[in-house]
Coordinates of all heavy atoms in Angstrom, one line a residue:
M1 N -26.8 5.5 4.8 CA -25.5 5.3 5.4 C -24.5 5.9 4.4 O -24.6 5.7 3.2 CB -25.2 3.8 5.6 CG -24.0 3.6 6.5 SD -23.9 1.9 7.0 CE -23.4 1.1 5.4
G2 N -23.5 6.6 4.9 CA -22.5 7.2 4.1 C -21.4 6.2 3.7 O -21.5 5.1 4.2
T3 N -20.5 6.6 2.9 CA -19.5 5.7 2.5 C -18.3 5.7 3.5 O -18.2 6.6 4.2 CB -18.9 6.1 1.1 OG1 -18.5 7.4 1.1 CG2 -19.9 5.9 0.0
V4 N -17.6 4.6 3.5 CA -16.4 4.6 4.3 C -15.2 4.4 3.4 O -15.3 4.0 2.2 CB -16.4 3.4 5.3 CG1 -17.5 3.7 6.4 CG2 -16.6 2.1 4.7
H5 N -14.0 4.7 3.9 CA -12.8 4.7 3.1 C -11.7 4.0 3.9 O -11.6 4.3 5.1 CB -12.4 6.1 2.7 CG -11.2 6.1 1.8 ND1 -11.3 5.9 0.5 CD2 -9.9 6.4 2.2 CE1 -10.0 6.0 0.0 NE2 -9.2 6.3 1.0
N6 N -10.9 3.2 3.2 CA -9.8 2.5 3.9 C -8.6 3.4 3.6 O -8.0 3.4 2.5 CB -9.6 1.1 3.2 CG -8.4 0.4 3.8 OD1 -7.8 0.8 4.8 ND2 -8.1 -0.7 3.2
V7 N -8.2 4.1 4.7 CA -7.0 5.0 4.5 C -5.7 4.2 4.3 O -4.7 4.8 3.8 CB -6.8 6.0 5.7 CG1 -7.8 7.1 5.6 CG2 -6.9 5.2 7.0
M8 N -5.7 3.0 4.6 CA -4.5 2.2 4.4 C -4.2 2.2 2.9 O -3.0 2.1 2.5 CB -4.7 0.7 4.9 CG -3.5 -0.1 4.8 SD -2.0 0.5 5.7 CE -2.3 -0.1 7.3
E9 N -5.3 2.2 2.1 CA -5.1 2.3 0.6 C -4.2 3.5 0.2 O -3.3 3.4 -0.6 CB -6.4 2.3 -0.1 CG -7.2 1.0 0.0 CD -8.5 1.1 -0.8 OE1 -8.7 2.0 -1.6 OE2 -9.3 0.2 -0.5
D10 N -4.6 4.6 0.8 CA -3.8 5.9 0.5 C -2.4 5.8 0.9 O -1.5 6.1 0.1 CB -4.4 7.1 1.3 CG -5.9 7.4 0.9 OD1 -6.2 7.1 -0.2 OD2 -6.6 7.9 1.7
S11 N -2.1 5.2 2.1 CA -0.8 5.1 2.6 C 0.1 4.2 1.7 O 1.2 4.5 1.4 CB -0.8 4.7 4.0 OG -1.5 5.6 4.8
V12 N -0.5 3.0 1.4 CA 0.2 2.1 0.6 C 0.5 2.7 -0.8 O 1.6 2.5 -1.3 CB -0.6 0.7 0.5 CG1 0.1 -0.2 -0.5 CG2 -0.6 0.0 1.8
K13 N -0.5 3.3 -1.3 CA -0.3 3.9 -2.7 C 0.8 5.0 -2.6 O 1.7 5.0 -3.5 CB -1.7 4.6 -3.1 CG -1.7 4.9 -4.6 CD -3.1 5.3 -5.0 CE -4.1 4.2 -5.3 NZ -5.4 4.6 -5.6
D14 N 0.8 5.9 -1.6 CA 1.8 6.9 -1.5 C 3.2 6.3 -1.5 O 4.1 6.7 -2.2 CB 1.6 7.7 -0.2 CG 0.5 8.7 -0.3 OD1 0.0 8.9 -1.4 OD2 0.2 9.3 0.7
L15 N 3.4 5.3 -0.6 CA 4.7 4.7 -0.4 C 5.1 3.9 -1.6 O 6.3 3.9 -2.0 CB 4.7 3.8 0.8 CG 4.7 4.6 2.2 CD1 4.6 3.7 3.4 CD2 5.9 5.5 2.3
L16 N 4.1 3.2 -2.3 CA 4.4 2.4 -3.4 C 4.9 3.3 -4.6 O 5.9 3.0 -5.3 CB 3.2 1.6 -3.9 CG 3.4 0.6 -5.0 CD1 4.4 -0.4 -4.7 CD2 2.0 -0.1 -5.2
E17 N 4.2 4.5 -4.8 CA 4.6 5.4 -5.8 C 6.0 5.9 -5.6 O 6.8 6.1 -6.5 CB 3.7 6.6 -5.8 CG 2.2 6.4 -6.2 CD 2.1 6.0 -7.7 OE1 3.1 6.1 -8.5 OE2 1.0 5.6 -8.1
K18 N 6.3 6.2 -4.3 CA 7.6 6.7 -3.9 C 8.8 5.7 -4.1 O 9.8 6.1 -4.5 CB 7.5 7.1 -2.4 CG 8.4 8.2 -2.0 CD 8.1 8.6 -0.6 CE 8.6 10.0 -0.2 NZ 8.0 10.5 1.0
Y19 N 8.5 4.5 -3.8 CA 9.6 3.5 -3.8 C 9.6 2.5 -4.9 O 10.4 1.6 -5.0 CB 9.6 2.7 -2.4 CG 10.0 3.6 -1.3 CD1 9.0 4.1 -0.4 CD2 11.3 4.0 -1.0 CE1 9.3 4.9 0.6 CE2 11.6 4.9 0.0 CZ 10.6 5.3 0.9 OH 10.9 6.1 1.9
W20 N 8.6 2.6 -5.8 CA 8.4 1.6 -6.8 C 9.7 1.4 -7.7 O 10.1 0.3 -8.0 CB 7.2 2.0 -7.7 CG 6.9 1.1 -8.9 CD1 6.9 1.4 -10.2 CD2 6.6 -0.3 -8.8 NE1 6.7 0.3 -11.0 CE2 6.5 -0.8 -10.1 CE3 6.5 -1.2 -7.8 CZ2 6.2 -2.1 -10.5 CZ3 6.2 -2.6 -8.1 CH2 6.0 -3.0 -9.4
G21 N 10.3 2.6 -8.0 CA 11.5 2.5 -8.8 C 12.7 1.8 -8.2 O 13.5 1.3 -8.9
D22 N 12.7 1.8 -6.9 CA 13.8 1.2 -6.1 C 13.5 -0.3 -5.7 O 14.4 -0.9 -5.1 CB 14.1 2.0 -4.9 CG 14.4 3.4 -5.2 OD1 15.0 3.7 -6.2 OD2 14.0 4.3 -4.4
L23 N 12.3 -0.7 -5.9 CA 12.0 -2.1 -5.4 C 12.6 -3.2 -6.3 O 12.7 -3.0 -7.5 CB 10.4 -2.3 -5.4 CG 9.7 -1.6 -4.3 CD1 8.2 -1.8 -4.5 CD2 10.0 -2.2 -2.9
P24 N 13.0 -4.3 -5.6 CA 13.6 -5.4 -6.4 C 12.6 -6.2 -7.1 O 12.5 -7.4 -6.8 CB 14.4 -6.2 -5.3 CG 13.5 -6.0 -4.1 CD 12.9 -4.6 -4.2
V25 N 11.9 -5.7 -8.1 CA 10.9 -6.4 -8.8 C 11.5 -6.7 -10.2 O 12.3 -5.9 -10.8 CB 9.6 -5.7 -9.0 CG1 8.8 -5.8 -7.7 CG2 9.7 -4.3 -9.4
S26 N 11.1 -7.9 -10.8 CA 11.6 -8.3 -12.1 C 11.0 -7.5 -13.2 O 11.5 -7.4 -14.3 CB 11.4 -9.8 -12.3 OG 10.0 -10.1 -12.1
C27 N 9.8 -6.8 -13.0 CA 9.1 -6.1 -14.0 C 8.5 -4.8 -13.3 O 7.9 -5.0 -12.3 CB 8.1 -7.0 -14.6 SG 7.0 -6.1 -15.8
H28 N 8.7 -3.7 -14.0 CA 8.1 -2.5 -13.4 C 6.9 -1.9 -14.1 O 6.6 -0.7 -14.1 CB 9.2 -1.4 -13.3 CG 10.1 -1.5 -12.2 ND1 11.3 -2.3 -12.3 CD2 10.1 -1.0 -10.9 CE1 11.9 -2.2 -11.1 NE2 11.2 -1.5 -10.2
C29 N 6.1 -2.8 -14.8 CA 5.0 -2.4 -15.5 C 3.8 -2.1 -14.5 O 3.8 -2.4 -13.4 CB 4.5 -3.4 -16.6 SG 3.6 -4.8 -15.9
E30 N 2.7 -1.4 -15.1 CA 1.6 -1.1 -14.2 C 0.8 -2.3 -13.7 O 0.3 -2.2 -12.6 CB 0.6 -0.2 -15.0 CG 1.2 1.2 -15.3 CD 1.5 2.0 -14.0 OE1 0.6 2.0 -13.1 OE2 2.6 2.5 -13.8
T31 N 0.8 -3.4 -14.5 CA 0.1 -4.6 -14.0 C 0.8 -5.2 -12.8 O 0.2 -5.5 -11.8 CB 0.1 -5.7 -15.1 OG1 -0.4 -5.1 -16.3 CG2 -0.7 -6.9 -14.7
C32 N 2.1 -5.3 -12.8 CA 2.9 -5.8 -11.7 C 2.8 -4.8 -10.5 O 2.7 -5.2 -9.3 CB 4.3 -6.0 -12.0 SG 4.6 -7.4 -13.2
K33 N 2.7 -3.5 -10.8 CA 2.6 -2.5 -9.7 C 1.2 -2.7 -9.0 O 1.2 -2.7 -7.8 CB 2.7 -1.1 -10.3 CG 2.8 0.0 -9.3 CD 3.0 1.3 -10.1 CE 3.2 2.5 -9.2 NZ 3.4 3.7 -10.0
S34 N 0.2 -2.9 -9.8 CA -1.1 -3.2 -9.2 C -1.2 -4.5 -8.4 O -1.8 -4.5 -7.3 CB -2.2 -3.3 -10.3 OG -2.3 -2.0 -11.0
D35 N -0.4 -5.5 -8.9 CA -0.4 -6.7 -8.1 C 0.3 -6.5 -6.8 O -0.2 -7.0 -5.7 CB 0.4 -7.8 -8.9 CG -0.4 -8.4 -10.0 OD1 -1.7 -8.3 -10.0 OD2 0.2 -9.1 -10.9
V36 N 1.4 -5.8 -6.8 CA 2.1 -5.5 -5.5 C 1.2 -4.7 -4.6 O 1.1 -4.9 -3.4 CB 3.4 -4.7 -5.8 CG1 4.1 -4.2 -4.5 CG2 4.4 -5.6 -6.5
Y37 N 0.5 -3.7 -5.1 CA -0.4 -2.9 -4.4 C -1.5 -3.8 -3.7 O -1.7 -3.7 -2.5 CB -1.1 -1.9 -5.3 CG -2.1 -1.0 -4.7 CD1 -1.8 -0.2 -3.6 CD2 -3.4 -0.8 -5.3 CE1 -2.7 0.6 -3.0 CE2 -4.3 0.0 -4.8 CZ -4.0 0.8 -3.6 OH -4.9 1.6 -3.1
A38 N -2.2 -4.6 -4.5 CA -3.2 -5.5 -3.9 C -2.7 -6.5 -2.9 O -3.3 -6.6 -1.8 CB -3.9 -6.3 -5.0
L39 N -1.5 -7.1 -3.2 CA -0.9 -8.0 -2.2 C -0.6 -7.3 -0.9 O -0.8 -7.9 0.2 CB 0.3 -8.6 -2.8 CG 0.2 -10.0 -3.5 CD1 1.6 -10.4 -4.0 CD2 -0.3 -11.1 -2.6
S40 N 0.0 -6.1 -1.0 CA 0.4 -5.4 0.2 C -0.8 -5.1 1.0 O -0.8 -5.3 2.2 CB 1.1 -4.1 -0.2 OG 2.2 -4.3 -1.0
L41 N -1.9 -4.7 0.4 CA -3.1 -4.4 1.2 C -3.7 -5.7 1.9 O -4.2 -5.6 3.0 CB -4.2 -3.8 0.3 CG -4.0 -2.3 -0.1 CD1 -5.0 -1.9 -1.2 CD2 -4.1 -1.5 1.1
N42 N -3.5 -6.8 1.2 CA -4.0 -8.1 1.9 C -3.2 -8.4 3.1 O -3.6 -9.0 4.0 CB -3.9 -9.2 0.9 CG -5.0 -9.2 -0.2 OD1 -6.0 -8.6 0.1 ND2 -4.8 -9.9 -1.3
R43 N -1.9 -8.0 3.1 CA -1.0 -8.3 4.2 C -1.2 -7.3 5.4 O -0.8 -7.6 6.5 CB 0.4 -8.1 3.8 CG 0.9 -9.3 3.0 CD 2.3 -8.9 2.3 NE 2.7 -10.0 1.5 CZ 3.5 -11.0 1.9 NH1 4.0 -10.9 3.1 NH2 3.8 -11.9 1.1
L44 N -1.8 -6.1 5.1 CA -1.9 -5.1 6.1 C -3.3 -5.0 6.7 O -4.3 -5.3 6.0 CB -1.5 -3.7 5.5 CG 0.0 -3.6 5.1 CD1 0.1 -2.5 4.1 CD2 0.8 -3.4 6.3
K45 N -3.4 -4.6 7.9 CA -4.7 -4.4 8.5 C -5.4 -3.2 7.9 O -4.8 -2.1 7.9 CB -4.5 -4.2 10.0 CG -5.7 -4.5 10.9 CD -5.2 -4.7 12.3 CE -6.4 -4.4 13.3 NZ -6.5 -3.0 13.7
P46 N -6.6 -3.3 7.4 CA -7.3 -2.1 6.9 C -7.6 -1.1 8.0 O -7.7 -1.5 9.1 CB -8.6 -2.7 6.3 CG -8.8 -4.0 6.9 CD -7.5 -4.5 7.3
H47 N -7.7 0.1 7.6 CA -8.0 1.2 8.6 C -9.1 2.0 8.0 O -8.9 2.9 7.2 CB -6.8 2.0 8.8 CG -6.8 2.9 10.0 ND1 -6.0 2.8 11.1 CD2 -7.7 3.9 10.3 CE1 -6.3 3.7 12.0 NE2 -7.3 4.4 11.5
Y48 N -10.4 1.7 8.4 CA -11.5 2.4 7.8 C -11.9 3.7 8.5 O -11.9 3.7 9.8 CB -12.7 1.5 7.7 CG -12.6 0.4 6.7 CD1 -12.2 -0.9 7.0 CD2 -12.8 0.7 5.3 CE1 -12.0 -1.9 6.1 CE2 -12.6 -0.3 4.4 CZ -12.2 -1.6 4.8 OH -12.0 -2.5 3.8
V49 N -12.3 4.7 7.8 CA -12.8 5.9 8.4 C -14.0 6.3 7.6 O -14.3 5.9 6.5 CB -11.8 7.1 8.3 CG1 -10.5 6.8 9.2 CG2 -11.3 7.4 6.9
R50 N -14.9 7.2 8.3 CA -16.1 7.5 7.7 C -16.1 8.8 6.9 O -16.7 8.8 5.8 CB -17.2 7.7 8.8 CG -18.6 8.0 8.4 CD -19.5 8.1 9.5 NE -19.0 8.9 10.6 CZ -19.1 10.3 10.6 NH1 -19.7 10.9 9.6 NH2 -18.7 11.0 11.6
D51 N -15.4 9.8 7.3 CA -15.5 11.1 6.6 C -14.1 11.6 6.3 O -13.1 11.1 6.7 CB -16.4 12.1 7.3 CG -15.9 12.4 8.7 OD1 -14.7 12.2 8.9 OD2 -16.7 12.8 9.5
Q52 N -14.1 12.8 5.7 CA -12.9 13.4 5.2 C -11.9 13.8 6.4 O -10.7 13.6 6.3 CB -13.2 14.6 4.3 CG -12.0 15.1 3.5 CD -11.6 14.0 2.5 OE1 -12.3 13.2 2.1 NE2 -10.3 14.0 2.2
S53 N -12.5 14.4 7.4 CA -11.6 14.8 8.5 C -11.0 13.6 9.2 O -9.8 13.6 9.6 CB -12.4 15.6 9.6 OG -13.5 14.9 10.1
G54 N -11.8 12.5 9.4 CA -11.3 11.3 10.0 C -10.2 10.7 9.1 O -9.2 10.1 9.5
R55 N -10.4 10.9 7.8 CA -9.4 10.4 6.8 C -8.0 11.1 7.0 O -7.0 10.4 7.0 CB -10.0 10.7 5.4 CG -9.2 10.1 4.3 CD -10.0 10.2 3.0 NE -9.2 9.9 1.9 CZ -9.7 9.7 0.6 NH1 -11.0 9.9 0.5 NH2 -9.0 9.4 -0.4
M56 N -8.1 12.4 7.1 CA -6.8 13.1 7.3 C -6.1 12.7 8.6 O -4.9 12.5 8.6 CB -7.0 14.6 7.3 CG -7.6 15.2 6.0 SD -6.7 14.6 4.5 CE -5.1 15.3 4.7
Y57 N -6.9 12.6 9.6 CA -6.3 12.2 10.9 C -5.7 10.8 10.9 O -4.6 10.6 11.3 CB -7.4 12.3 12.0 CG -7.0 11.8 13.3 CD1 -6.2 12.6 14.2 CD2 -7.3 10.6 13.8 CE1 -5.7 12.2 15.4 CE2 -6.8 10.1 15.0 CZ -6.0 10.9 15.8 OH -5.6 10.5 17.0
A58 N -6.5 9.9 10.3 CA -6.1 8.5 10.3 C -4.8 8.4 9.4 O -3.9 7.6 9.7 CB -7.2 7.6 9.8
K59 N -4.8 9.1 8.3 CA -3.7 9.1 7.4 C -2.4 9.5 8.1 O -1.3 8.9 8.0 CB -3.9 10.0 6.2 CG -3.1 9.6 5.0 CD -3.5 10.3 3.8 CE -2.4 10.1 2.7 NZ -2.7 10.9 1.5
A60 N -2.5 10.6 8.9 CA -1.4 11.1 9.7 C -0.9 10.0 10.6 O 0.3 9.8 10.8 CB -1.8 12.3 10.5
S61 N -1.8 9.3 11.3 CA -1.4 8.2 12.2 C -0.7 7.0 11.5 O 0.0 6.3 12.1 CB -2.6 7.7 13.0 OG -3.4 6.9 12.2
L62 N -1.0 6.9 10.2 CA -0.4 5.8 9.4 C 1.0 6.3 8.9 O 1.6 5.5 8.2 CB -1.3 5.4 8.3 CG -2.5 4.5 8.7 CD1 -3.4 4.2 7.5 CD2 -2.1 3.3 9.4
M63 N 1.4 7.5 9.1 CA 2.6 8.0 8.6 C 3.7 8.1 9.7 O 4.7 8.8 9.5 CB 2.4 9.4 7.9 CG 1.8 9.2 6.5 SD 3.0 8.3 5.4 CE 1.9 7.4 4.4
T64 N 3.5 7.5 10.8 CA 4.6 7.4 11.8 C 5.7 6.5 11.3 O 5.4 5.7 10.4 CB 4.0 6.9 13.1 OG1 3.6 5.5 12.9 CG2 2.9 7.7 13.7
T65 N 6.8 6.6 11.9 CA 8.0 5.8 11.4 C 7.7 4.4 11.5 O 8.0 3.6 10.6 CB 9.2 6.1 12.3 OG1 9.4 7.6 12.3 CG2 10.5 5.5 11.7
Q66 N 7.0 3.9 12.6 CA 6.7 2.5 12.8 C 5.7 2.0 11.7 O 5.9 1.0 11.1 CB 6.2 2.3 14.2 CG 5.9 0.8 14.5 CD 7.1 0.0 14.3 OE1 8.2 0.3 14.8 NE2 7.0 -1.1 13.5
A67 N 4.7 2.8 11.5 CA 3.6 2.5 10.5 C 4.2 2.4 9.1 O 3.9 1.5 8.4 CB 2.5 3.5 10.6
R68 N 5.0 3.3 8.8 CA 5.7 3.4 7.5 C 6.6 2.1 7.3 O 6.6 1.5 6.2 CB 6.5 4.6 7.3 CG 5.7 5.9 7.0 CD 6.6 7.1 7.1 NE 7.6 7.0 6.0 CZ 7.6 7.8 4.9 NH1 6.5 8.6 4.7 NH2 8.5 7.7 4.0
A69 N 7.3 1.8 8.4 CA 8.2 0.6 8.3 C 7.4 -0.7 8.0 O 7.7 -1.5 7.2 CB 9.0 0.5 9.6
T70 N 6.2 -0.8 8.7 CA 5.3 -1.9 8.6 C 4.8 -2.0 7.1 O 4.8 -3.1 6.5 CB 4.1 -1.8 9.5 OG1 4.7 -1.7 10.9 CG2 3.3 -3.1 9.4
I71 N 4.4 -0.9 6.6 CA 3.8 -0.8 5.2 C 4.9 -1.2 4.2 O 4.7 -1.9 3.3 CB 3.2 0.6 5.0 CG1 2.0 0.8 5.9 CG2 2.8 0.7 3.5 CD1 1.5 2.2 5.9
L72 N 6.1 -0.6 4.4 CA 7.2 -0.8 3.5 C 7.6 -2.3 3.5 O 8.0 -2.8 2.4 CB 8.4 0.1 3.8 CG 8.5 1.4 3.1 CD1 9.6 2.2 3.6 CD2 8.5 1.2 1.6
T73 N 7.6 -2.9 4.7 CA 7.9 -4.3 4.7 C 6.9 -5.1 3.9 O 7.3 -6.0 3.1 CB 7.9 -4.8 6.2 OG1 8.8 -4.1 6.9 CG2 8.3 -6.3 6.3
A74 N 5.6 -4.8 4.1 CA 4.6 -5.5 3.3 C 4.8 -5.3 1.8 O 4.6 -6.2 1.0 CB 3.2 -5.0 3.7
I75 N 5.1 -4.1 1.4 CA 5.4 -3.8 0.0 C 6.6 -4.6 -0.5 O 6.5 -5.2 -1.6 CB 5.6 -2.3 -0.2 CG1 4.3 -1.5 0.0 CG2 6.1 -2.0 -1.6 CD1 4.4 0.0 -0.1
T76 N 7.7 -4.6 0.2 CA 8.9 -5.3 -0.2 C 8.6 -6.8 -0.3 O 9.0 -7.5 -1.3 CB 10.0 -5.1 0.8 OG1 10.2 -3.7 1.0 CG2 11.3 -5.7 0.3
E77 N 7.9 -7.4 0.7 CA 7.5 -8.8 0.6 C 6.7 -9.1 -0.6 O 6.8 -10.1 -1.3 CB 6.8 -9.3 1.9 CG 7.7 -9.3 3.1 CD 8.9 -10.3 3.0 OE1 8.6 -11.4 2.6 OE2 10.0 -9.9 3.3
S78 N 5.7 -8.3 -0.8 CA 4.8 -8.4 -2.0 C 5.5 -8.3 -3.3 O 5.3 -9.1 -4.2 CB 3.7 -7.4 -1.9 OG 3.0 -7.5 -0.7
A79 N 6.5 -7.4 -3.4 CA 7.3 -7.3 -4.6 C 8.1 -8.6 -4.9 O 8.2 -9.0 -6.0 CB 8.3 -6.1 -4.4
K80 N 8.6 -9.2 -3.8 CA 9.3 -10.5 -4.0 C 8.4 -11.5 -4.6 O 8.8 -12.3 -5.5 CB 9.8 -11.0 -2.7 CG 11.1 -10.3 -2.2 CD 11.6 -10.9 -0.9 CE 12.4 -10.0 -0.1 NZ 12.5 -10.4 1.3
V81 N 7.1 -11.6 -4.1 CA 6.2 -12.6 -4.5 C 5.8 -12.4 -6.0 O 5.8 -13.3 -6.8 CB 4.9 -12.6 -3.7 CG1 3.8 -13.5 -4.2 CG2 5.2 -13.0 -2.2
V82 N 5.5 -11.1 -6.3 CA 5.2 -10.8 -7.7 C 6.3 -11.0 -8.7 O 6.1 -11.5 -9.8 CB 4.7 -9.3 -7.8 CG1 4.5 -8.8 -9.3 CG2 3.4 -9.1 -7.0
S83 N 7.6 -10.8 -8.2 CA 8.7 -11.1 -9.0 C 8.9 -12.6 -9.3 O 9.3 -13.0 -10.4 CB 10.0 -10.6 -8.3 OG 10.0 -9.2 -8.3
A84 N 8.6 -13.4 -8.3 CA 8.7 -14.8 -8.4 C 7.6 -15.4 -9.3 O 7.8 -16.3 -10.0 CB 8.7 -15.4 -7.0
Y85 N 6.4 -14.8 -9.2 CA 5.2 -15.3 -9.9 C 4.5 -14.2 -10.6 O 3.4 -13.8 -10.3 CB 4.2 -16.0 -9.0 CG 4.8 -17.0 -8.1 CD1 5.2 -16.8 -6.8 CD2 5.0 -18.3 -8.6 CE1 5.8 -17.8 -6.0 CE2 5.6 -19.3 -7.8 CZ 6.0 -19.0 -6.5 OH 6.5 -20.0 -5.7
P86 N 5.1 -13.6 -11.7 CA 4.4 -12.5 -12.4 C 3.2 -13.0 -13.1 O 3.2 -14.2 -13.6 CB 5.5 -12.0 -13.4 CG 6.5 -13.0 -13.4 CD 6.5 -13.9 -12.2
H87 N 2.2 -12.2 -13.2 CA 0.9 -12.6 -13.7 C 0.8 -12.4 -15.2 O -0.3 -12.3 -15.8 CB -0.3 -11.9 -13.0 CG -0.5 -12.5 -11.6 ND1 -1.4 -11.9 -10.8 CD2 0.0 -13.5 -11.0 CE1 -1.4 -12.6 -9.6 NE2 -0.5 -13.6 -9.8
H88 N 1.9 -12.2 -15.9 CA 1.8 -12.1 -17.4 C 3.1 -12.5 -18.0 O 4.1 -12.8 -17.3 CB 1.5 -10.6 -17.7 CG 2.6 -9.7 -17.3 ND1 3.8 -9.5 -18.0 CD2 2.7 -8.9 -16.2 CE1 4.5 -8.6 -17.3 NE2 3.9 -8.2 -16.2
Ligands
ZN101 ZN1 4.9 -6.6 -15.3

């Protein structure tokens, strides 16, 4: 059996990299960033694909305005949680 990949990880990572500097977090270190990343993924429905072509297609479907808004909301909510309870 081949490997599968969660394209939601790619989309969250892309948006997190893009907006990390603007997020209302109390700390912008890599540890807090990883916490926001993990928390965001827990809030979002995973989207698994089997191969590379499916990955590109699924990634495009996760970049619609609505999908981006959903992901950004999850990131913003997660940033609030990490700010309130930083792990270090
Ligand atoms: Zn930190």
Side-chain angles (χ1 to χ4, degrees):
M1 193 171 74
T3 55
V4 294
H5 181 80
N6 178 10
V7 284
M8 185 57 88
E9 291 181 14
D10 295 333
S11 299
V12 171
K13 198 174 274 178
D14 282 354
L15 289 174
L16 187 57
E17 294 290 352
K18 208 170 196 169
Y19 294 102
W20 179 239
D22 302 325
L23 285 173
V25 285
S26 55
C27 172
H28 279 90
C29 78
E30 287 301 309
T31 305
C32 291
K33 194 177 183 179
S34 298
D35 281 344
V36 172
Y37 177 52
L39 264 182
S40 302
L41 283 172
N42 285 338
R43 284 167 182 266
L44 294 159
K45 202 163 156 267
H47 193 119
Y48 288 99
V49 295
R50 181 176 52 79
D51 58 24
Q52 198 61 30
S53 57
R55 186 170 171 170
M56 295 316 289
Y57 175 78
K59 200 173 171 185
S61 78
L62 287 176
M63 279 298 144
T64 61
T65 309
Q66 184 55 51
R68 284 171 65 103
T70 303
I71 295 168
L72 269 176
T73 301
I75 290 175
T76 307
E77 290 299 313
S78 303
K80 282 184 203 161
V81 174
V82 171
S83 290
Y85 307 99
H87 285 173
H88 61 81

